[in-house]
Amino acid sequence: MASNRGVVYLGPGKVEVRSIDYPKMVNPEGKSIEHGVILKVVSTNICGSDQHMVRGRTTAPKGLVLGHEITGEIIEKGKDVEYLAIGDLVTVPFNVACGRCRTCREQQTGVCLNVNKGRAGGAYGYVDMGGWVGGQAEYVMVPYADFNLIRFPDKAQALEKILDLTMLSDILPTGFHGAVMAGVGVGSTVYVAGAGPVGLAAAASAHVLGAAVVMVGDMNPERLKHAKASGFEPIDLTKSDKLEELIEAVVGVPEVDASVDAVGFEARGHGAQATTEAPATVLNSLMAITRAAGGIGIPGLYVTEDPGSKDEAAKQGNLRMRFGLGWAKSHRFFTGQTPVLRYNRQLMQAILHGRLPIAKAVNATVISLDDAPRGYHEFDTGVARKFVIDPHGMLKKKSA
């Protein structure tokens, strides 16, 4: 039998590369399926959402194979797969979606009704998301392949741009979704909370959508330096407790047209409170700076339970929000997992035609599968990098 290795979560702060089962055409309940494919993983990325689990901030079980950002080559397919072929290089949305339920038909693939018995929505290698095996591995099975996968039209061209195209599985559509749902358009002033990979993807998306100025807030000097080098206005949140003052220093008024929360539930305070975890800080600050009738996109992850929080309310998923402020200002809030299929084809075209050099914006850095634990450790220290795992040595060993 063919072998397989993958990145396995072993408890808070600990991941290892271990031998895992070679994928089979079965769903998490063990039922045989014929609508799936087996991929040789070409690239698979470490995501900030993975870090939440590895830090012990979720109920993720030990033994979970991690990884929901996957690009791969089809090496086997079920008999019901009609429109894809062996050898195709494809991008995999992190959403597992059936394509048949009401929400999938509405392009709300982040909350598919059929792939997870516990709740709406499924994902690879993630806690409470249906039990689908993760793709930080040499090989992985992808179900409902005809619906979920997009084939790159020119394989050689795709491999040349693989560091950009690998971002199609999650962070680029996620950042784009946050910007679109916040209402970013031509001439918009935009603030993005968080200079990690999703925040930088949101900022790059805002530029593509026509924003006049894009500010990115963080407390990490290295990430702020990289944001500035990427063409965004850095906002150092250690400088003031009042985000309005920092915004006014850039655009002349203490407000923006649209804002994006790319931080999520592990947020910290601003200014003097920068070292204190405050789960609702970002949401409250965005309501303060977003103009009346403006929009707030929230692609940053929030969980139904946060057992590792020091805040008793947050342990149950409850946040101390100034919702009345948002209501009074007629804000639009848009939350939830990004429906990747709504965006990834158009974003693929933008990449292939040189309009969106996302790998440079997020500082994509290739590492081997064996180096994945090191990548997790370095990413957790806040380095300004997006780690791309290369399980089979098919990528160019370079940073973007």
Side-chain angles (χ1 to χ4, degrees), residues 13 43 61 67 75 80 89 97 122 140 159 164 168 185 190 192-193 208 215 230 232 237 278 298 302 335 351 371 387:
S43 64
I75 59 173
D80 291 339
L89 186 64
V140 68
L159 287 171
D164 296 293
L168 288 173
V190 181
V192 178
V208 169
M215 294 163 279
S230 299
F232 313 122
L237 299 176
I298 311 173
Y302 288 88
T335 69
I351 288 170
D371 278 339
F387 287 104

Side-chain angles (χ1 to χ4, degrees), residues 94-284:
F94 78 88
N95 319 112
V96 182
C98 73
R100 305 165 185 178
C101 68
R102 175 180 178 176
T103 51
C104 282
R105 289 170 182 266
E106 294 173 347
Q107 288 195 315
Q108 296 288 354
T109 52
V111 281
C112 174
L113 303 177
N114 289 330
V115 295
N116 184 355
K117 289 187 175 181
R119 65 170 78 169
Y124 303 91
Y126 210 84
V127 59
D128 296 331
M129 296 305 290
W132 301 92
V133 177
Q136 286 175 12
E138 294 171 326
Y139 303 93
V140 68
M141 193 279 291
V142 174
Y144 306 103
D146 278 328
F147 178 69
N148 285 299
L149 301 182
I150 292 180
R151 179 182 65 85
F152 296 127
D154 184 314
K155 194 171 183 179
Q157 179 193 31
L159 287 171
E160 283 296 312
K161 290 183 173 287
I162 192 66
L163 291 185
D164 296 293
L165 294 170
T166 192
M167 307 306 166
L168 288 173
S169 56
D170 182 358
I171 68 162
L172 179 54
T174 293
F176 191 79
H177 181 62
V180 168
M181 291 303 160
V184 176
V186 175
S188 297
T189 55
V190 181
Y191 174 75
V192 178
V198 171
L200 293 171
S205 298
H207 270 180
V208 169
L209 290 166
V213 59
V214 181
M215 294 163 279
V216 181
D218 208 295
M219 294 171 280
N220 181 314
E222 183 181 349
R223 288 185 168 184
L224 288 170
K225 182 180 179 181
H226 181 70
K228 184 175 182 179
S230 299
F232 313 122
E233 291 287 340
I235 302 294
D236 186 347
L237 299 176
T238 66
K239 299 299 184 182
S240 176
D241 294 333
K242 293 186 179 299
L243 181 57
E244 300 97 310
E245 295 177 351
L246 300 173
I247 296 297
E248 186 171 16
V250 177
V251 293
V253 292
E255 65 179 21
V256 294
D257 297 315
S259 57
V260 179
D261 175 2
V263 177
F265 73 102
E266 287 193 71
R268 297 184 179 276
H270 299 163
Q273 305 300 316
T275 60
T276 303
E277 193 166 298
T281 292
V282 172
L283 295 174
N284 289 332

Side-chain angles (χ1 to χ4, degrees), residues 47 72 121 235 292 302 346 369 399:
C47 180
I235 302 294
Y302 288 88
Q346 67 207 67
L369 182 63
S399 298

Side-chain angles (χ1 to χ4, degrees), residues 304-362:
T304 53
E305 294 180 61
D306 179 8
S309 178
K310 296 180 181 179
D311 185 289
E312 289 300 318
K315 288 181 179 181
Q316 307 303 317
N318 297 320
L319 302 177
R320 294 183 172 90
M321 286 179 60
R322 292 188 65 196
F323 188 73
L325 175 61
W327 187 94
K329 295 175 77 173
S330 294
H331 283 156
R332 303 184 312 278
F333 298 84
F334 206 96
T335 69
Q337 293 193 60
T338 298
V340 172
L341 276 176
R342 188 183 301 177
Y343 306 111
N344 61 352
R345 187 174 295 278
Q346 67 207 67
L347 293 172
M348 175 185 73
Q349 295 284 30
I351 288 170
L352 292 177
H353 292 280
R355 294 284 294 151
L356 193 49
I358 186 63
K360 182 177 180 181
V362 302

